[in-house]
Amino acid sequence: QKEVEQNSGPLSVPEGAIASLNCTYSDRGSQSFFWYRQYSGKSPELIMSIYSNGDKEDGRFTAQLNKASQYVSLLIRDSQPSDSATYLCAADTGTASKLTFGTGTRLQVTL
Amino acid sequence: NAGVMQNPRHLVRRRGQEARLRCSPMKGHSHVYWYRQLPEEGLKFMVYLQKENIIDESGMPKERFSAEFPKEGPSILRIQQVVRGDSAAYFCASQAGAPDTQYFGPGTRLTVL
């Protein structure tokens, strides 16, 4: 069973702090990794994609990938209340590009 | 640039009825994926289609569920003889080509009474 694991949270951080979200995956054949944000009752919205080991930065977001450890993370700098949502980690299994999702980490940014 | 469209957004069916969910991919995208999200659970892959072809249906329940993506028109996910356990949010995602980012539609929330 190919799995993606996330801590369900909630992860609570104060406004302006750094939020750190983590994810591990079991399929060593996975090549592509994605972070989606999902507000309650809404559809997943792509935040970041990462394909190579190392860091990838986009604005306040940084994705980190370590294939040897089978670990993906998402850092959100200067967290805002509008960042409060569930963050879904997904791995492309490489087979027909279907995505395997974690159950998501709920982030709460407090004032 | 229109995104992925799904309709209806909300669908209520009684047990035993049929549900038809439609998905129109983004312009230029020829790959469609269907995912199901049960309450308080993660997204689960159901089926991957290209025009007129089912590429991978390994996530589809063996009975009552079918999907198609005809040459013309939207992709359709069909659920026959719905049961209460089918109540969920069904999301469609489209992709220009593998491996590429999948973009999700707004979803259809199915409620089975």
Side-chain angles (χ1 to χ4, degrees), chain A residues 5-6 16 24 26 28-29 35 46 62 68-69 86 92 95-99 103-104 110:
Chain A
E5 302 283 348
Q6 293 181 257
T24 59
S26 64
R28 287 196 172 274
W35 284 99
L46 182 71
T62 298
S69 300
T86 296
D92 180 334
T95 305
S97 294
K98 62 187 180 187
L99 296 179
T103 53
T110 57

Short mmCIF file of all heavy atoms in Angstrom, two decimals, chain A residues 5-6 16 24 26 28-29 35 46 62 68-69 86 92 95-99 103-104 110:
data_model
loop_
_atom_site.label_atom_id
_atom_site.label_comp_id
_atom_site.label_asym_id
_atom_site.label_seq_id
_atom_site.Cartn_x
_atom_site.Cartn_y
_atom_site.Cartn_z
N GLU A 5 1.84 10.06 4.72
CA GLU A 5 1.46 10.27 6.11
C GLU A 5 1.66 11.73 6.52
O GLU A 5 2.69 12.33 6.21
CB GLU A 5 2.30 9.38 7.03
CG GLU A 5 2.19 7.89 6.74
CD GLU A 5 0.90 7.28 7.27
OE1 GLU A 5 0.20 7.95 8.06
OE2 GLU A 5 0.58 6.15 6.87
N GLN A 6 0.66 12.25 7.21
CA GLN A 6 0.75 13.60 7.76
C GLN A 6 0.18 13.60 9.17
O GLN A 6 -0.74 12.84 9.47
CB GLN A 6 -0.09 14.59 6.93
CG GLN A 6 0.40 14.84 5.54
CD GLN A 6 -0.50 15.86 4.85
OE1 GLN A 6 -1.35 15.50 4.03
NE2 GLN A 6 -0.31 17.14 5.19
N GLY A 16 2.28 35.79 12.23
CA GLY A 16 3.65 36.27 12.03
C GLY A 16 4.71 35.21 12.23
O GLY A 16 5.87 35.41 11.84
N THR A 24 5.55 12.36 5.17
CA THR A 24 6.43 11.27 4.74
C THR A 24 5.67 10.40 3.74
O THR A 24 4.44 10.34 3.76
CB THR A 24 6.89 10.40 5.92
OG1 THR A 24 5.74 9.86 6.57
CG2 THR A 24 7.72 11.19 6.90
N SER A 26 5.79 6.53 1.38
CA SER A 26 6.34 5.18 1.44
C SER A 26 6.89 4.69 0.10
O SER A 26 7.76 3.81 0.08
CB SER A 26 5.27 4.21 1.93
OG SER A 26 4.19 4.15 1.00
N ARG A 28 9.15 4.71 -2.84
CA ARG A 28 10.41 5.30 -3.29
C ARG A 28 10.39 5.67 -4.76
O ARG A 28 11.25 6.42 -5.23
CB ARG A 28 11.57 4.33 -3.02
CG ARG A 28 11.96 4.23 -1.56
CD ARG A 28 13.33 3.60 -1.38
NE ARG A 28 13.77 3.67 0.01
CZ ARG A 28 14.40 4.71 0.52
NH1 ARG A 28 14.68 5.77 -0.24
NH2 ARG A 28 14.76 4.73 1.78
N GLY A 29 9.43 5.15 -5.49
CA GLY A 29 9.31 5.48 -6.90
C GLY A 29 8.64 6.82 -7.17
O GLY A 29 8.64 7.29 -8.31
N TRP A 35 1.94 20.26 -2.56
CA TRP A 35 1.20 20.75 -1.40
C TRP A 35 -0.03 21.49 -1.90
O TRP A 35 0.08 22.41 -2.73
CB TRP A 35 2.06 21.67 -0.55
CG TRP A 35 3.08 20.95 0.29
CD1 TRP A 35 4.40 20.77 0.01
CD2 TRP A 35 2.84 20.32 1.55
NE1 TRP A 35 5.00 20.06 1.01
CE2 TRP A 35 4.07 19.77 1.97
CE3 TRP A 35 1.71 20.16 2.37
CZ2 TRP A 35 4.20 19.08 3.18
CZ3 TRP A 35 1.84 19.47 3.56
CH2 TRP A 35 3.08 18.94 3.96
N LEU A 46 -3.60 24.31 -5.42
CA LEU A 46 -2.17 24.05 -5.44
C LEU A 46 -1.39 25.20 -4.81
O LEU A 46 -1.58 26.36 -5.17
CB LEU A 46 -1.70 23.83 -6.86
CG LEU A 46 -0.22 23.51 -7.00
CD1 LEU A 46 0.08 22.11 -6.46
CD2 LEU A 46 0.23 23.62 -8.45
N THR A 62 7.99 27.79 1.38
CA THR A 62 9.17 27.02 0.98
C THR A 62 8.86 25.54 1.13
O THR A 62 8.45 25.10 2.20
CB THR A 62 10.39 27.36 1.86
OG1 THR A 62 10.72 28.74 1.69
CG2 THR A 62 11.60 26.52 1.45
N ALA A 68 15.99 10.70 0.11
CA ALA A 68 16.64 9.62 0.88
C ALA A 68 15.86 9.31 2.14
O ALA A 68 15.72 8.13 2.53
CB ALA A 68 18.07 10.03 1.22
N SER A 69 15.31 10.34 2.77
CA SER A 69 14.52 10.16 3.98
C SER A 69 13.03 10.03 3.68
O SER A 69 12.23 9.82 4.61
CB SER A 69 14.74 11.34 4.94
OG SER A 69 16.10 11.43 5.30
N THR A 86 -6.63 23.42 5.85
CA THR A 86 -6.02 22.09 5.88
C THR A 86 -5.04 21.99 4.71
O THR A 86 -5.38 22.34 3.58
CB THR A 86 -7.09 20.99 5.77
OG1 THR A 86 -7.93 21.05 6.92
CG2 THR A 86 -6.43 19.61 5.72
N ASP A 92 3.01 11.89 -6.42
CA ASP A 92 2.71 11.28 -7.71
C ASP A 92 3.34 9.89 -7.69
O ASP A 92 4.54 9.76 -7.55
CB ASP A 92 3.32 12.15 -8.80
CG ASP A 92 3.07 11.62 -10.19
OD1 ASP A 92 2.89 10.39 -10.36
OD2 ASP A 92 3.09 12.43 -11.12
N THR A 95 2.73 6.09 -11.53
CA THR A 95 1.91 5.21 -12.34
C THR A 95 0.68 5.98 -12.77
O THR A 95 -0.19 6.26 -11.96
CB THR A 95 1.48 3.96 -11.52
OG1 THR A 95 2.64 3.32 -11.02
CG2 THR A 95 0.67 3.02 -12.39
N ALA A 96 0.65 6.37 -14.02
CA ALA A 96 -0.46 7.14 -14.57
C ALA A 96 -0.63 8.49 -13.88
O ALA A 96 -1.68 9.10 -13.98
CB ALA A 96 -1.76 6.35 -14.51
N SER A 97 0.39 8.90 -13.16
CA SER A 97 0.39 10.22 -12.52
C SER A 97 -0.71 10.42 -11.49
O SER A 97 -1.00 11.54 -11.13
CB SER A 97 0.31 11.34 -13.56
OG SER A 97 1.46 11.35 -14.35
N LYS A 98 -1.35 9.36 -11.05
CA LYS A 98 -2.38 9.57 -10.04
C LYS A 98 -1.71 10.00 -8.74
O LYS A 98 -0.58 9.62 -8.44
CB LYS A 98 -3.19 8.30 -9.83
CG LYS A 98 -2.40 7.11 -9.32
CD LYS A 98 -3.26 5.87 -9.32
CE LYS A 98 -2.51 4.67 -8.82
NZ LYS A 98 -3.29 3.41 -8.99
N LEU A 99 -2.40 10.83 -7.99
CA LEU A 99 -1.86 11.36 -6.76
C LEU A 99 -2.36 10.56 -5.57
O LEU A 99 -3.54 10.20 -5.49
CB LEU A 99 -2.27 12.83 -6.58
CG LEU A 99 -1.73 13.80 -7.62
CD1 LEU A 99 -2.24 15.22 -7.34
CD2 LEU A 99 -0.21 13.79 -7.65
N THR A 103 -3.84 12.63 4.73
CA THR A 103 -5.14 13.04 5.27
C THR A 103 -5.19 14.52 5.62
O THR A 103 -6.25 15.04 5.93
CB THR A 103 -5.50 12.22 6.52
OG1 THR A 103 -4.42 12.30 7.44
CG2 THR A 103 -5.76 10.76 6.15
N GLY A 104 -4.03 15.19 5.53
CA GLY A 104 -4.03 16.62 5.72
C GLY A 104 -3.68 17.05 7.14
O GLY A 104 -3.97 16.33 8.11
N THR A 110 -3.35 31.98 14.86
CA THR A 110 -4.09 32.74 15.86
C THR A 110 -3.62 34.19 15.93
O THR A 110 -2.46 34.49 15.68
CB THR A 110 -3.92 32.09 17.25
OG1 THR A 110 -2.52 32.02 17.56
CG2 THR A 110 -4.49 30.69 17.25
#
